[in-house]
Amino acid sequence: MTDENLSTEFDLEHFLPYRLDRLADRVSEALAQLYEAHYDLNVAQWRVLAWLHHRHELTAKQICAATRMDKARVSRAIQVLEGRGLMVRRPSPRDQRWQDLRLTEAGQALMVELVPQVRAWEAELVAPLATEEYHRLLDMMERLERPLRDDE
Amino acid sequence: MTDENLSTEFDLEHFLPYRLDRLADRVSEALAQLYEAHYDLNVAQWRVLAWLHHRHELTAKQICAATRMDKARVSRAIQVLEGRGLMVRRPSPRDQRWQDLRLTEAGQALMVELVPQVRAWEAELVAPLATEEYHRLLDMMERLERPLRDDE
DNA sequence: CGTGCATGGTTTCATGTGCAACTATTAGTT
DNA sequence: AACTAATAGTTGCACATGAAACCATGCACG
């Protein structure tokens, strides 16, 4: 991309940050309907569950990194989820500052019920794209994101 | 896309809502540095300015639709921007319930200064993509978004 | 060992946001 | 014309969030 027409006019419809934000917002809103109404989870809680389901055992720090959420926000989500008996935490034997987080049976059960719904919904979401296009999309997103990464 | 492997496992790295959100978040954060630090604008205020710059004259309602922000949020952004002398509002002659919003000279001047910076930054952002790829990306995003649109 | 520094997680506090109630104006129906 | 419904925008309130202060634990270096 070397379009150097840097005039003061710009068309927001072709401004990537705007388009990205709008799409992400709509997608996120649609997804939220799946877990909010039926399972009474907010975004933060859903993300914590999703990562624990995905990775089995994690610390809060790792969840912060994965979800890009503030540690206070993660901490609060964990409190709620633990209160609802969906997950447990115990101080890590390796380092008492960390806590190992994992889903309880109930948490697992919830995810086993929820995940297929989410997957089915996602299949519909990406239905307008051919499989090959979808891969290219993820690849482009990866290339856009890489220079923006702070650490790792 | 007709991959019907709806198992209970799913890899968040290939879960579009997650990837989309993460990218949008990073992009938005990077962009915010341009207008926050130097111009003391928050996201809502930036969006209002951007749309007024783009479309010259709008009502709050139209800005709500364009930015997908709550009308209270837009209303508050407008109050601040007007207080800073960057824009003005006057009741629309066509309908006293509406107010026509437009940038002041100062608001125009700010955008004339800011927009080229934003455009230059965006050029860097999309540099990893070939021009043709970029068009395909926007096209795919459009196709993903269309079914999610509520109205219009 | 022990004193200081770093780190994971919690809590406090100030702020921004969304929802819902409200005001003012206009449109519709009879 | 009058009464009702709808619409644009504002405000009150309750809640979620992020930054920073805080606490507890572990590590490094003397």
Side-chain angles (χ1 to χ4, degrees), chain A residues 10-46:
Chain A
F10 73 135
D11 175 4
L12 284 165
E13 278 302 317
H14 293 86
F15 183 54
L16 188 60
Y18 167 65
R19 292 296 304 275
L20 214 42
D21 193 83
R22 204 177 64 186
L23 177 59
D25 191 55
R26 285 201 157 104
V27 166
S28 161
E29 183 186 44
L31 174 58
Q33 290 184 354
L34 257 77
Y35 54 72
E36 260 176 11
H38 295 299
Y39 301 92
D40 192 30
L41 300 169
N42 68 21
V43 188
Q45 291 153 205
W46 151 255

Side-chain angles (χ1 to χ4, degrees), chain A residues 1-31 46-47 50-51 53-55 65-68 111-113 115-116 118-123 125-145 147-152, chain B residues 1-31 46-47 50-51 53-55 65-68 111-113 115-116 118-123 125-145 147-152:
Chain A
M1 284 294 291
T2 53
D3 182 340
E4 290 297 326
N5 170 24
L6 302 180
S7 84
T8 65
E9 294 297 328
F10 73 135
D11 175 4
L12 284 165
E13 278 302 317
H14 293 86
F15 183 54
L16 188 60
Y18 167 65
R19 292 296 304 275
L20 214 42
D21 193 83
R22 204 177 64 186
L23 177 59
D25 191 55
R26 285 201 157 104
V27 166
S28 161
E29 183 186 44
L31 174 58
W46 151 255
R47 287 181 186 166
W51 275 95
H53 178 71
H54 179 39
R55 284 290 169 83
T67 60
R68 291 180 59 69
M111 290 306 277
V112 165
E113 198 177 303
V115 165
V118 169
R119 290 176 61 85
W121 168 82
E122 191 206 7
L125 172 70
V126 299
L129 304 183
T131 304
E132 205 255 331
E133 280 184 309
Y134 179 59
H135 292 321
R136 274 210 306 267
L137 175 65
L138 285 182
D139 175 61
M140 284 193 261
M141 286 173 59
E142 169 61 26
R143 282 150 60 204
L144 287 171
E145 190 179 346
L148 298 173
R149 275 202 251 279
D150 13 67
D151 42 56
E152 285 166 88
Chain B
M1 282 294 291
T2 52
D3 181 341
E4 291 297 324
N5 171 23
L6 302 181
S7 84
T8 65
E9 294 296 329
F10 73 135
D11 175 6
L12 283 164
E13 278 302 317
H14 293 86
F15 184 53
L16 187 59
Y18 168 65
R19 293 295 304 274
L20 213 42
D21 192 84
R22 204 178 64 184
L23 177 58
D25 191 54
R26 285 202 157 103
V27 166
S28 161
E29 183 185 44
L31 174 58
W46 152 254
R47 287 181 185 166
W51 275 95
H53 178 72
H54 179 37
R55 284 290 170 84
T67 60
R68 292 179 57 69
M111 290 306 278
V112 166
E113 199 177 303
V115 165
V118 169
R119 290 176 61 85
W121 167 83
E122 191 206 8
L125 171 71
V126 299
L129 304 184
T131 304
E132 206 255 331
E133 280 184 308
Y134 179 59
H135 291 320
R136 274 208 306 266
L137 174 66
L138 285 182
D139 175 60
M140 284 193 260
M141 288 173 59
E142 169 62 27
R143 282 151 60 206
L144 287 171
E145 190 180 344
L148 299 173
R149 274 203 251 279
D150 13 68
D151 42 53
E152 287 166 88

